[in-house]
Amino acid sequence: MVIGAKATRISTNSIVYHSFNGTSDVYTKLLEAYAQNGALQSGKTLHAHLVINGLAQKTHFASKLIAFYAECKQLSHARKLFDKIPQSNIRRWIVLIGAYARHGFYEEAMSVFSEMQREGMKPNKFVLPSVLKACGRFGDFRTGEILHGVILKNEFEFDSYVVSALIDMYSKCGKVEKAKRVFYGMVDKDLVAMNALVSGYLQYGIVNDALVLVEQMKVQGMKPNVVTYNTLIAGFSQEDDQVMVCKVIELMHDDGLEQDVVSWTSIISGLVQNFHNKEAFGMFKRMLDVGLCPTSATISSILPACATVADLMLGKEIHGYTVVTGIEKDVYVKSALIDMYAKCGFISEAKELFSKTSERNSVTWNSMIFGYANHGYCSEAIELFNQMVREEERKPDHLTFTAALTACSHARMVQFGESLFKMMQDKYAIKPRLEHFACMVDLLGRAGKLDEAYNLIQSMPIEPDLFVWGAFLGACRQHGNMDLAEIAAKQLAKLEPESAGSSVLLSSLYADASKWANVAKVKRVIKKKKLTKFPGCSWVDVA
DNA sequence: ATAGGGTTAG
């Protein structure tokens, strides 16, 4: 299938391949390079060349080709090649499942594994690490436990790859106790296993325990590596604990290890997440001064800090860098760019990036829909939502519905909003969260349906928060309903007696369509507790 | 065949 259309290019390229003498090593290296650069066309051409020369069926090349297509996210091609290799060959299962797991197709990896078992193939120690990884990333703890049983039954518990992957699976599923038990049961504890447990501690929010573990293991002769320290740095940085980040870096230097791109990216990411934009920019600059090149992960971490008009210049510079280096195509980078332009109000730039995107995930879609919704392009937002549902490229998630409902409420599309709220639950089995209720209350409230909004609040299966009451209060003020406004105000005061002022601030922000982006700022203010309270002021200035 | 950093919402 892949071959036919490329006849002309094949002949020219064949000459090139033959000039290398066509050793298998060259083919392998080329395929790996193509995979790394996502050079799908070149890889397809080489594939055709291998077919013509009768090499494509050789298991060695077939495996490489499967990995290549998986890397280029061409799952159907990978699967087609897999189907051409004789069934009894265990290697083909290992390669396909491994390729899926390595490139983020966790659901597929697990379903192929079930298929493998249905075909009567027994799992071995080479396939288990990939399956465990897929389980962990997918959060499928039940299957993971079954695999643990398989490991014990087949005495794979002395294979360090398998055991490390098992610890990682429990860690990723948030089962630290289980991860700990497996780790402490190991006769020869190895570095990868320890690192997997360290990451489990972080997942669970006990970074300090992780540090203690590392120190203990050091006493017993374990030598931590950059991965160990980077894991700890990421944990402390996310917790906004600058002091501990510095301490870990010092420890790292005592062990003769240098910070790499991942260390820097972890620090930058933590700073941005904790709203220290200036410090993040400074750190980014220092990283460049040290001579390290930012990766797509670094870029997608720093871009959210550029999502205000004041810092857009830097964002544009970074955008330029991504174009030059070719990482603009990366989904994370692309989504972050779309979000950045959209947040700054440059909807047409965001739209252009979105339409030129070949690979989109739910974040890409959601960023664009939010961009439209938050800037009053409500029909565009709804149209894009419909397109997403129609094309079934990605399933809408809870954020997609938040974005679409936001658009409905700004456009006063009450009926459509109600149908979305129903569709979300009935068709997609998404439980409405606080923000969905807040949108619905806002939608009904703006349309003057205050009683319906109030009924919805009272029917909520979860405790309404200040956004829900804030939206309701805004609607009551707008429609001059003193009685209901008073109820809302009392509820707000009850929810946040310490920072009653912030509730009012937030509710008015909520009511103001164009100021969504400021919510983050307000949250930061609240977090720093610098907000003076002014209880009982002009909430009910309805008149 | 296993371990580290990333994008949306609140």
Side-chain angles (χ1 to χ4, degrees):
Chain A
M1 286 290 113
V2 184
I3 328 151
K6 296 289 161 199
T8 30
R9 287 185 53 192
I10 295 159
S11 52
T12 29
N13 275 301
S14 293
I15 300 166
V16 180
Y17 299 143
H18 284 305
S19 70
F20 280 120
N21 267 338
T23 60
S24 59
D25 200 38
V26 169
Y27 294 141
T28 307
K29 286 227 163 69
L30 275 173
L31 270 179
E32 278 167 7
Y34 292 153
Q36 216 169 16
N37 298 306
L40 182 60
Q41 282 313 317
S42 308
K44 279 185 175 178
T45 311
L46 175 51
H47 179 188
H49 173 81
L50 292 173
V51 169
I52 289 167
N53 291 280
L55 294 167
Q57 292 98 321
K58 301 232 179 207
T59 313
H60 170 72
F61 291 122
S63 318
K64 288 290 167 198
L65 284 165
I66 290 173
F68 163 75
Y69 283 116
E71 178 74 45
C72 295
K73 318 214 175 211
Q74 305 290 312
L75 273 77
S76 56
H77 286 316
R79 179 67 210 213
K80 255 184 242 163
L81 281 157
F82 168 85
D83 289 331
K84 282 184 184 152
I85 307 173
Q87 231 174 49
S88 59
N89 188 332
I90 181 102
R91 257 192 72 87
R92 72 178 196 139
W93 296 100
I94 298 170
V95 171
L96 188 69
I97 294 169
Y100 281 167
R102 206 147 26 88
H103 301 117
F105 303 107
Y106 304 122
E107 250 180 305
E108 289 82 356
M110 283 158 70
S111 83
V112 174
F113 179 66
S114 317
E115 197 184 335
M116 172 179 166
Q117 287 179 303
R118 276 199 304 277
E119 301 261 330
M121 309 292 284
K122 287 263 168 278
N124 68 6
K125 63 174 185 177
F126 296 104
V127 81
L128 280 169
S130 302
V131 184
L132 284 164
K133 180 179 181 176
C135 270
R137 305 291 159 119
F138 200 65
D140 188 349
F141 167 63
R142 293 274 158 251
T143 309
E145 268 192 321
I146 294 169
L147 291 170
H148 192 170
V150 172
I151 291 166
L152 296 177
K153 208 163 117 190
N154 293 282
E155 297 180 359
F156 291 139
E157 77 257 43
F158 303 107
D159 184 275
S160 69
Y161 281 83
V162 172
V163 178
S164 296
L166 183 63
I167 294 170
D168 181 57
M169 182 278 295
Y170 279 133
S171 291
K172 290 285 188 303
C173 293
K175 308 283 176 187
V176 203
E177 285 307 320
K178 295 245 178 199
K180 260 167 102 171
R181 213 172 304 158
V182 177
F183 179 74
Y184 285 109
M186 282 177 89
V187 183
D188 293 309
K189 296 180 179 50
D190 81 345
L191 182 58
V192 177
M194 182 185 79
N195 289 345
L197 183 58
V198 167
S199 124
Y201 282 146
L202 299 199
Q203 179 90 13
Y204 209 68
I206 41 180
V207 201
N208 259 312
D209 290 18
L211 186 58
V212 172
L213 169 73
V214 173
E215 295 289 347
Q216 279 173 354
M217 292 306 294
K218 265 170 86 167
V219 174
Q220 292 175 36
M222 178 86 75
K223 279 213 173 306
N225 64 1
V226 195
V227 175
T228 320
Y229 287 115
N230 283 346
T231 312
L232 292 171
I233 289 173
F236 286 119
S237 189
Q238 271 165 37
E239 290 192 350
D240 205 10
D241 193 337
Q242 259 59 258
V243 176
M244 285 309 290
V245 170
C246 291
K247 196 184 163 192
V248 173
I249 290 173
E250 260 174 49
L251 284 172
M252 187 174 171
H253 291 168
D254 295 349
D255 278 341
L257 298 165
E258 280 302 314
Q259 289 151 266
D260 64 6
V261 200
V262 178
S263 329
W264 287 95
T265 303
S266 305
I267 295 167
I268 292 169
S269 166
L271 288 170
V272 174
Q273 278 170 41
N274 291 292
F275 307 106
H276 306 299
N277 290 357
K278 286 268 176 315
E279 291 84 347
F281 294 145
M283 208 52 89
F284 184 65
K285 197 178 169 301
R286 272 174 62 190
M287 174 186 151
L288 298 179
D289 289 342
V290 170
L292 288 168
C293 281
T295 63
S296 56
T298 322
I299 299 299
S300 44
S301 304
I302 195 88
L303 279 175
C306 309
T308 58
V309 184
D311 295 311
L312 181 63
M313 275 313 291
L314 182 60
K316 281 186 170 172
E317 268 178 53
I318 293 174
H319 184 187
Y321 172 84
T322 68
V323 175
V324 173
T325 52
I327 57 174
E328 191 197 24
K329 277 178 284 182
D330 183 280
V331 225
Y332 286 89
V333 170
K334 184 67 71 96
S335 305
L337 282 168
I338 290 170
D339 180 62
M340 179 191 77
Y341 282 118
K343 283 220 177 86
C344 296
F346 290 80
I347 297 294
S348 57
E349 275 85 350
K351 187 188 167 189
E352 183 161 352
L353 282 169
F354 182 84
S355 58
K356 281 194 304 190
T357 301
S358 52
E359 189 197 348
R360 294 169 186 160
N361 62 17
S362 41
V363 182
T364 327
W365 284 95
N366 293 350
S367 299
M368 194 65 230
I369 299 174
F370 268 116
Y372 279 139
N374 291 335
H375 287 88
Y377 299 90
C378 299
S379 53
E380 284 86 350
I382 298 299
E383 176 44 43
L384 203 58
F385 172 85
N386 287 333
Q387 191 191 332
M388 185 177 177
V389 173
R390 206 169 46 237
E391 294 181 2
E392 290 189 336
E393 190 182 274
R394 291 280 163 177
K395 262 195 204 166
D397 60 17
H398 68 105
L399 288 175
T400 320
F401 281 100
T402 307
L405 286 173
T406 304
C408 289
S409 103
H410 293 166
R412 317 275 153 108
M413 296 167 68
V414 182
Q415 275 200 335
F416 188 65
E418 283 176 320
S419 73
L420 283 182
F421 193 61
K422 199 171 166 350
M423 181 209 275
M424 171 175 94
Q425 298 170 70
D426 298 347
K427 191 174 172 193
Y428 294 98
I430 298 168
K431 280 204 189 101
R433 302 182 184 203
L434 285 166
E435 55 268 29
H436 300 118
F437 283 112
C439 282
M440 287 307 293
V441 168
D442 193 53
L443 176 65
L444 295 166
R446 278 168 192 256
K449 301 187 171 192
L450 294 176
D451 290 331
E452 282 182 45
Y454 191 49
N455 287 340
L456 180 65
I457 294 177
Q458 285 180 314
S459 74
M460 281 172 63
I462 37 178
E463 203 58 37
D465 69 350
L466 74 167
F467 287 94
V468 175
W469 285 117
F472 189 58
L473 176 61
C476 293
R477 283 165 63 174
Q478 187 195 331
H479 293 283
N481 189 321
M482 282 274 264
D483 295 339
L484 289 174
E486 212 164 332
I487 294 175
K490 276 182 185 150
Q491 291 294 340
L492 278 168
K494 215 192 283 176
L495 277 170
E496 290 240 330
E498 290 300 308
S499 52
S502 71
S503 305
V504 175
L505 196 49
L506 282 169
S507 67
S508 58
L509 272 178
Y510 193 92
D512 187 341
S514 63
K515 286 185 183 163
W516 255 103
N518 288 338
V519 172
K521 279 187 191 162
V522 177
K523 277 175 69 179
R524 179 175 62 191
V525 175
I526 294 168
K527 207 174 170 185
K528 287 192 174 171
K529 292 195 172 135
K530 279 182 183 168
L531 199 91
T532 30
K533 34 180 173 170
F534 53 112
C537 303
S538 54
W539 294 345
V540 204
D541 56 37
V542 267

